[in-house]
Amino acid sequence: MIPGVRLVLLGKQGSGKGTQAVRLARHFVVHHVSTGDMFRAAVRAGTEFGRKAREYMDSGELVPDEVTIGIVKERLEQAGTKRRGFVLDGFPRNVAQAQALSDYLAPQDIHLVIDLEVATEVVLKRLAARRVCSSCGTNYSVDVPPAVNWTCDVCDGEVVQRADDTETAIRRRLEIYQKNTAPLVAWYKDRDHLDVVCGEGPPDEVTSRLIDTIDRRREAGV
Ligand code: AMP
C-alpha cells in the first residue's frame, strides 16, 4: 500500500484547497481533517458550540484558538490518524495553532506544508460563484451546478450560497488570512517544511502538481 502522509494544506479561501485536500486524502489513503467542515457540521447540528462558532464564522472571524485546537486534537485522536497520517485543511491558521499541532504530534512531525498559491482576483471570482450543499458540504459553483435544480448530487440536500460568502465577509476573511498566514508561512519555511505550489489551472493538473511535490519531498527523505 502507498505510504501515508502528514500534510498541511494552506491556501486562501477559494484557492481550491478543500477540493484538493479531499483528493489528496483519497490518494494517500489518510483522513481529511477540515476545521471549516467540522464547524459547519456543528452549526447544522444546532449544538450550543455550533451557535457560538456561527457568530465568528458569519462575520469571517476566527473561532478562538483554544476551542479550535481542542476540536482538532479530538479529531486526530480518532481513527488511526497517528498511524497513517492526515491532510489538514484550514488548520493551522496562525502560529499559535501551528505550535500546538507540533507539540501534539511530537515526537512525530508533519512531513510537509503546501501553500496552494492562487491570485486574489481569481479567488474573488471563484468565491462569488461558489455554492455548497447545506446538508453534506459538497462544493459546487454556478458554472458547475448539481445535475438537478440545486439539489445535491450526493445526498439530495439543498445547494445554497455559504452565509460567509458575501463580498464583505469574503474580503474580511482574505484580510485575516493574509495577516495570520504570512507569519505562519515564515514559521514553516524556517523549519524547512514549506513548498509553494501553483493552484491555478484545471483541478486535475493541480492535483498532479501536488502529488509530484509530495512524492519528491518523500524521495528526498523528509
Ligand atoms: P473555512 O471553510 O476554512 O474558510 O472556515 C470557515 C470559518 O470557520 C472561518 O472563517 C473561521 O470562522 C472558522 N475556522 C475554520 N478553521 C479555523 C481555524 N483553524 N481557526 C479558527 N477558526 C477557524
Side-chain angles (χ1 to χ4, degrees):
M1 196 194 215
I2 187 170
V5 70
R6 291 185 294 278
L7 177 76
V8 169
L9 205 50
L10 302 178
K12 303 182 179 81
Q13 291 75 13
S15 61
K17 175 172 56 76
T19 304
Q20 296 298 336
V22 170
R23 290 174 174 214
L24 292 175
R26 244 183 243 145
H27 178 86
F28 291 103
V29 200
V30 294
H31 289 268
H32 171 219
V33 179
S34 156
T35 38
D37 284 355
M38 289 193 283
F39 289 139
R40 279 184 289 278
V43 169
R44 280 198 298 274
T47 59
E48 177 59 26
F49 166 68
R51 269 192 293 278
K52 281 201 189 118
R54 183 175 194 160
E55 288 170 25
Y56 295 98
M57 295 168 77
D58 281 354
S59 58
E61 302 291 330
L62 290 188
V63 176
D65 281 348
E66 60 281 10
V67 177
T68 307
I69 290 166
I71 206 175
V72 170
K73 280 188 188 167
E74 216 172 86
R75 178 71 180 83
L76 291 180
E77 282 300 319
Q78 295 166 6
T81 47
K82 278 209 163 158
R83 189 173 49 83
R84 272 205 66 78
F86 47 77
V87 177
L88 272 172
D89 163 10
F91 182 95
R93 283 274 230 279
N94 57 32
V95 171
Q97 294 182 3
Q99 184 67 62
L101 176 65
S102 166
D103 294 345
Y104 172 76
L105 292 176
Q108 291 186 319
D109 205 348
I110 45 172
H111 290 116
L112 178 60
V113 177
I114 295 185
D115 187 8
L116 194 60
E117 203 172 55
V118 176
T120 301
E121 314 85 79
V122 175
V123 307
L124 281 173
K125 253 194 220 145
R126 283 188 191 168
L127 288 172
R130 176 159 78 175
R131 300 293 180 270
V132 64
C133 173
S134 53
S135 207
C136 73
T138 300
N139 275 321
Y140 299 92
S141 79
V142 286
D143 308 316
V144 189
V148 185
N149 219 2
W150 298 108
T151 299
C152 180
D153 294 339
V154 178
C155 76
D156 283 343
E158 190 190 359
V159 174
V160 298
Q161 184 161 33
R162 259 169 62 165
D164 60 352
D165 274 351
T166 61
E167 179 154 354
T168 318
I170 290 170
R171 287 196 183 277
R172 180 82 190 120
R173 274 150 70 213
L174 286 173
E175 237 174 67
I176 293 172
Y177 180 80
Q178 218 56 44
K179 191 178 104 212
N180 290 317
T181 312
L184 184 60
V185 165
W187 195 84
Y188 278 128
K189 215 185 235 164
D190 277 352
R191 284 157 181 76
D192 193 29
H193 276 318
L194 191 85
D195 267 325
V196 179
V197 172
C198 171
E200 294 184 25
D204 287 350
E205 268 176 33
V206 177
T207 309
S208 303
R209 259 178 242 152
L210 288 165
I211 291 173
D212 285 352
T213 304
I214 297 164
D215 287 345
R216 260 203 315 275
R217 268 271 175 166
R218 275 218 286 238
E219 275 159 29
V222 195

